Amino acid sequence: MSNHVLLGIENVYRTYVDDEDNKVEALYDVSLEIEKGEFVTIIGSSGCGKTTLLRLIAGLDTPLSGKLTIGGVPITGTDPERGYVFQQGGLFPWLTVENNIATGLKARGVYKQEKSRVQEYIELIGLQGFEKAFPHQISGGMAQRVAIARALINRPAALLLDEPMGALDSFTRADLQDKLLELWRHDETTMILVTHDIDEAIYLSDRIVIMTPRPGRISDIMEVSFPHPRHRGGVEFLTMRKTILEKLHLASALPEPEYRI
Ligand SMILES: Nc1ncnc2c1ncn2[C@@H]1O[C@H](COP(=O)(O)OP(=O)(O)O)[C@@H](O)[C@H]1O
Ligand SMILES: [Mg+2]
């Protein structure tokens, strides 16, 4: 194992039994190493085990067999060093924006000492002026930024994001993607993002992990090596998108793109 590995996932299996007593192989022999500071996205169709994998990394669930480690130490439960952001909601509706973010610090008992960081994170997510607003008074995109700030204020080694932008319109989504890159650079946090948006994966990540369902397994891992800022209409971007579509078996019948000159 290299010194740079933060997260080790080794031959992990997780099986569920559904309502009709059928065995569902949500994860089947999944292995992956994630390096410190890496931005990894996990992509794949619904039901391929993405949330199951993220919950195992978070320590919200345990595998049937296999091993998960962080910094070489087995994961045995949840810990603020692994921040978790849900698909939507997740904010306390009775708390203001600043108090929602402060709960991260309070949970660790360091609110008094680190109080000033609440304002720092409000500025980082661009919500100055909304400190006293309640979740129902802000937009969905703003609420997701608050949820991300609440997790990041604990300076987690890894931030786990389960389709945090799934419910947002495409403009808000693009905006939040840029914010996420900014936060990633600011804190050098390792990012593990689940998405089913191929463009989002290419725009953001160092590596894209492609999963396929029944049984849920990793079918491919791709490096995205071209530099930021990435242009969604650029040749490298579109070529990569086509490759991923093919790997997901969605594009075999598509005509050749026009950028081939
Ligand atoms: N608590 C559960 N009980 C039974 N089956 C489950 C449970 N959680 C997930 N599954 C099943 O496991 C598979 C993977 O689910 P999930 O990890 O949520 O996939 P994804 O997040 O990629 O959509 C699916 O077939 C899903 O129906
Ligand atoms: Mg899911």
Side-chain angles (χ1 to χ4, degrees):
M1 192 168 89
S2 115
N3 283 338
H4 302 293
V5 172
L6 176 73
L7 208 91
I9 301 163
E10 246 178 88
N11 308 109
V12 163
Y13 290 76
R14 178 67 168 98
T15 308
Y16 296 109
V17 177
D18 70 12
D19 298 339
E20 276 119 49
D21 271 352
N22 300 310
K23 206 168 109 182
V24 180
E25 288 177 312
L27 293 178
Y28 184 89
D29 198 14
V30 168
S31 295
L32 178 67
E33 281 187 343
I34 295 178
E35 294 200 357
K36 221 171 267 176
E38 226 189 332
F39 200 132
V40 171
T41 32
I42 303 170
I43 193 164
S45 60
S46 180
C48 67
K50 304 183 296 294
T51 295
T52 303
L53 182 58
L54 217 59
R55 285 175 51 83
L56 288 172
I57 298 170
L60 291 163
D61 188 17
T62 47
L64 184 68
S65 66
K67 209 166 94 181
L68 290 111
T69 53
I70 182 152
V73 180
I75 292 173
T76 52
T78 60
D79 190 302
E81 74 169 356
R82 277 160 284 132
Y84 196 97
V85 177
F86 298 90
Q87 181 157 2
Q88 49 183 310
L91 293 185
F92 300 113
W94 61 89
L95 293 179
T96 59
V97 162
E98 63 183 5
N99 284 335
N100 260 289
I101 296 174
T103 54
L105 296 176
K106 286 178 181 163
R108 279 192 308 133
V110 295
Y111 179 62
K112 269 212 179 104
Q113 305 90 294
E114 299 192 22
K115 212 167 153 171
S116 63
R117 299 184 59 234
V118 172
Q119 194 55 38
E120 180 193 339
Y121 275 83
I122 284 176
E123 280 164 30
L124 263 176
I125 57 171
L127 282 188
Q128 303 96 309
F130 291 91
E131 290 86 348
K132 310 283 181 214
F134 287 91
H136 73 272
Q137 295 170 317
I138 58 176
S139 70
M142 289 163 135
Q144 283 306 70
R145 279 187 268 164
V146 175
I148 292 168
R150 181 176 61 184
L152 280 178
I153 201 164
N154 282 320
R155 295 197 181 91
L159 184 65
L160 316 174
L161 302 135
D162 195 354
E163 303 197 41
M165 300 177 250
L168 305 177
D169 67 79
S170 54
F171 296 104
T172 311
R173 183 181 265 256
D175 195 42
L176 193 52
Q177 287 167 356
D178 286 328
K179 211 71 214 168
L180 207 55
L181 286 177
E182 209 180 295
L183 292 167
W184 175 51
R185 292 192 188 106
H186 178 267
D187 286 345
E188 296 174 344
T189 311
T190 305
M191 297 282 194
I192 307 169
L193 168 74
V194 165
T195 181
H196 51 233
D197 183 331
I198 296 171
D199 286 4
E200 184 166 289
I202 302 171
Y203 189 71
L204 294 174
S205 42
D206 296 321
R207 275 194 303 159
I208 301 176
V209 175
I210 300 176
M211 292 186 69
T212 46
R214 286 175 294 275
R217 64 203 312 177
I218 293 175
S219 62
D220 236 299
I221 299 179
M222 298 180 65
E223 298 229 1
V224 190
S225 47
F226 52 101
H228 293 280
R230 294 177 180 157
H231 299 292
R232 291 178 168 87
V235 173
E236 290 156 309
F237 203 105
L238 296 175
T239 307
M240 182 131 227
R241 182 209 266 165
K242 182 168 186 280
T243 309
I244 296 173
L245 282 168
E246 282 166 357
K247 287 187 190 296
L248 291 166
H249 308 295
L250 294 173
S252 47
L254 289 183
E256 283 296 292
E258 283 168 25
Y259 55 79
R260 290 256 171 99
I261 29 176

